[in-house]
Amino acid sequence: MRFARITYAVILSGTAAWCALIVLAPAASSSAAFVAFGGILYAFFSPLCHQIDARSFHLFGGPLAVCGRCSAIYFGFLCGTVAYPFASSLIRGGRPGRMFLLVAVVPMLLDVVLEVTGIHESSNALRAVTGAWFGTLLPFLVIPGAVEGVSQLLTKPNSYSIQSEKGPIDA
C-alpha cells in the first residue's frame, strides 16, 4: 500500500511538472526577462514534438512547447492520473487488457493514418480530442504497472536463501 501511494504521488507530481513546463515556455517567452528560459524550454521539448506553429495551441501570445495533439495527450494524462484513484484502487487495481489499449489508441491512430494518407485533413480540435482520449486512458495502463514494478523492486523475496539455489548434487 505504501509503495502504491508513493508511486502514484511521484507519477502525479512528475506529470504536473511536465505540463507546467509546457505552459511555462510561452509564458517565459512573453517576458523580456525570461525569454532565454522560454527558448531553453522550447529546445527541451523539440526532440519530442515537431512544434509546428499552425498545429499548436497558443497562450501568452506564443505556441505551447508542444503541438496540440501532444498537449492534449500530456494534459489528458494529467487528468487521468488525477481521476485514477477515484476510478480504480491503487492496491488492487489490476491492469486493463488489450481491448482497453485498443479503445484508447485507435481513434488517434485512425486520425493520423487518415491524414497521412490524404483521405481527410485533420483539425487541431480533432487532434486534441483524440489525443486527450488517449492521454486520459493511458494512466489506467501505466499506473498499475508502475505500482507493481516498484513494489517488486523494493520488496525482498520471503523464501530466498543461498542454499535453495543449489542443485541436488551440490546440496
Side-chain angles (χ1 to χ4, degrees):
M1 170 121 165
R2 189 174 127 218
F3 297 130
R5 289 184 179 160
I6 292 170
T7 302
Y8 172 77
V10 167
I11 292 170
L12 179 60
S13 301
T15 304
W18 188 263
C19 290
L21 291 175
I22 290 170
V23 173
L24 194 55
S29 294
S30 69
S31 167
F34 297 105
V35 74
F37 180 63
I40 291 169
L41 290 174
Y42 283 114
F44 173 78
F45 283 102
S46 68
L48 306 175
C49 178
H50 56 72
Q51 297 177 325
I52 296 172
D53 191 270
R55 292 185 176 191
S56 298
F57 295 116
H58 291 72
L59 196 61
F60 305 109
L64 294 180
V66 293
C67 72
R69 178 177 283 131
C70 291
S71 296
I73 291 170
Y74 296 136
F75 283 95
F77 191 92
L78 178 60
C79 291
T81 301
V82 168
Y84 181 82
F86 300 103
S88 178
S89 169
L90 289 175
I91 299 167
R92 53 185 183 84
R95 280 185 249 152
R98 290 182 183 144
M99 187 56 72
F100 187 85
L101 179 60
L102 285 174
V103 166
V105 78
V106 164
M108 185 174 66
L109 189 61
L110 188 62
D111 183 44
V112 170
V113 169
L114 291 175
E115 183 172 24
V116 168
T117 57
I119 295 174
H120 91 98
E121 181 69 29
S122 189
S123 65
N124 269 349
L126 186 56
R127 289 183 195 106
V129 168
T130 59
W133 175 255
F134 174 69
T136 302
L137 295 179
L138 196 56
F140 292 89
L141 295 165
V142 171
I143 293 171
V147 167
E148 183 180 323
V150 168
S151 179
Q152 287 178 4
L153 283 173
L154 299 178
T155 57
K156 295 179 182 177
N158 295 335
S159 61
Y160 179 77
S161 71
I162 294 173
Q163 191 171 13
S164 68
E165 289 186 12
K166 293 182 178 179
I169 297 173
D170 296 332

